[in-house]
Amino acid sequence: MTAPPIDACSPTTALLAGRSVVTFGGCNYLGLSQHPRVVGAAADAMARFGLSTTASRETTGNTRLHEDLEGLLAGFCGHPAGLLVPDGYIANLAAMQGLSALGVRHAVIDRRAHPSLRDAAGMAGMRLHEYGHADARDAARLLGACEGRAVVVTDSVFAADGTVAPARRLHASLRDEDRLLLDDCHGFAVLGRAGRGLADELDLSRDRLVVTTTLAKGLGCGGGVVMGERALVDAARAGSTAYICTTPTSPALAAAAIEAIGLVRQDPSLHERLRANTTRVRSLLAERFDVDPAHPIPIIAFVAGETDAMRIMHEEMLDRGVLAPLVAYPGGPAPVYFRISVSAEHTDQQIDQLAAAISASVRNGRTARIPG
């Protein structure tokens, strides 16, 4: 079901039906979607290029901004080459089509992988083999049974609950001509040095590694990118209909992303605040719910009683000016659960407001601690 429409927002607040609430939803982890320098870069580019290139990059829709950004992203994340596409969903399809052109015929995929990864492998004509969630041993078993080239496919950070993939062990299981594809949509701009992603966080070899990500979450802009070996990127550029047959991300968003990357490189306080806020929110939730206070990911999923009780809790918190999303997103700890996300821009007062809203709901008898 579509969420209620937001009439306006800041990194930590939203205007819902004429009322401003503190929000702990979305994926604006660094608050960059409203940063003055990022918005200013978009406005300047809009004045130069308008809202859209109105054509594919392979016809007349390419700009210097698109080329600069894809080179900047690949260099920032430590890959030989990159390909800029309209969004993260298209990035997965372009990557899979590029891998298929290089002779990859099998996709060994995590059971809870993002649906776009499953769609992409299927549309690229690969045979799918599903392994247990975050089970590197099961992935290695399936990989060993594949005849011909294969790609192991996983989210780097799972969107539903913030679980981190066992990327080192998955990479170690690869055979000589296999690849590992990490969808880094919730790791990019969050993990690693200055937000370079999970591969940087783990010091993972870029050999046989493909990384896709969106620029719309941690970076706060828009677009997607495929990064990896030059042969893969060239194959996707030459033969991926997902790239060739689409209008690229707006030049305004490309300019904004270039500015945002500059900011995360220059301002370590962004990630320092994100880590501090994540630790504080996790710690206060861990007092009542099954939440790991030490986990570094700013996505926090938890169950607080039966579904009806959680719906009442959600409404009571909203009445107190706090939006704590109650979702039915696949891959979480229950069919319906709370999914809190933290931003570097949340203030101490806003986190206090979250704690007070939870405490008031618990005092009303709506929820009890769920044992870990």
Side-chain angles (χ1 to χ4, degrees), residues 25-30 88 92 112-117 154-165 182-192 195-199 201 211-219 271 274 278 295-300 329-330 339-342:
C27 307
N28 194 9
Y29 301 122
L30 299 177
N92 285 333
R112 294 187 186 175
H114 193 275
S116 65
L117 291 165
T154 182
D155 304 45
S156 67
V157 175
F158 287 83
D161 62 2
T163 298
V164 177
L182 294 178
D183 179 330
D184 207 27
C185 285
H186 295 273
F188 177 65
V190 173
L191 298 174
R196 286 173 169 85
L198 182 65
E201 178 82 13
V211 172
T212 61
T213 192
T214 179
L215 311 182
K217 299 188 185 302
L219 210 61
H271 287 98
L274 179 61
T278 298
H295 195 54
I297 304 300
I299 299 167
I300 311 167
Y329 194 84
R339 182 191 182 277
I340 298 290
S341 61
V342 184

Side-chain angles (χ1 to χ4, degrees), residues 8-53:
C9 64
S10 77
T12 60
T13 64
L15 188 64
L16 292 173
R19 182 185 180 197
S20 181
V21 297
V22 177
T23 178
F24 287 86
C27 307
N28 194 9
Y29 301 122
L30 299 177
L32 293 177
S33 67
Q34 287 94 352
H35 194 286
R37 281 175 49 182
V38 175
V39 173
D44 290 345
M46 199 181 306
R48 292 168 56 200
F49 294 99
L51 288 171
S52 171
T53 67

